Amino acid sequence: MNDDPQEISTHLILEHGSPEAALAAAAEEAVDAQKKNDLYALSVWRNVKRLLRERAETEAD
C-alpha cells in the first residue's frame, strides 16, 4: 500500500468519480484494516478519510 494519504485520496477520487464515493471506498478499506488489526493501515485510512471529507466540504461550498 502506498502510504501517502494525499496520493491515496486523489487516486480514489479519480477511480470512484467523487469525494463522497471515494470516502465510501476508504471506509471499507478502514474496516478491512481494522478486521486485520493493522493499526498502521488504519491510521493511514483515517487520514485519507479526513482529506476526503475536507475535499467534499470544499466542493460543496
Side-chain angles (χ1 to χ4, degrees):
M1 173 172 73
N2 180 345
D3 298 343
D4 182 6
Q6 187 66 46
E7 286 184 31
I8 295 169
S9 62
T10 300
H11 174 77
L12 287 173
I13 291 170
L14 291 173
E15 183 177 337
H16 295 280
S18 72
E20 293 82 7
L23 183 57
E28 290 178 19
E29 293 293 338
V31 168
D32 187 47
Q34 188 173 20
K35 287 179 183 176
K36 293 178 181 176
N37 201 27
D38 186 345
L39 299 180
Y40 177 74
L42 191 56
S43 174
V44 172
W45 287 111
R46 184 181 306 117
N47 286 322
V48 170
K49 292 187 300 180
R50 177 185 53 81
L51 290 168
L52 290 169
R53 280 191 293 272
E54 288 173 1
R55 184 126 175 215
E57 289 173 7
T58 301
E59 289 184 9
D61 290 341

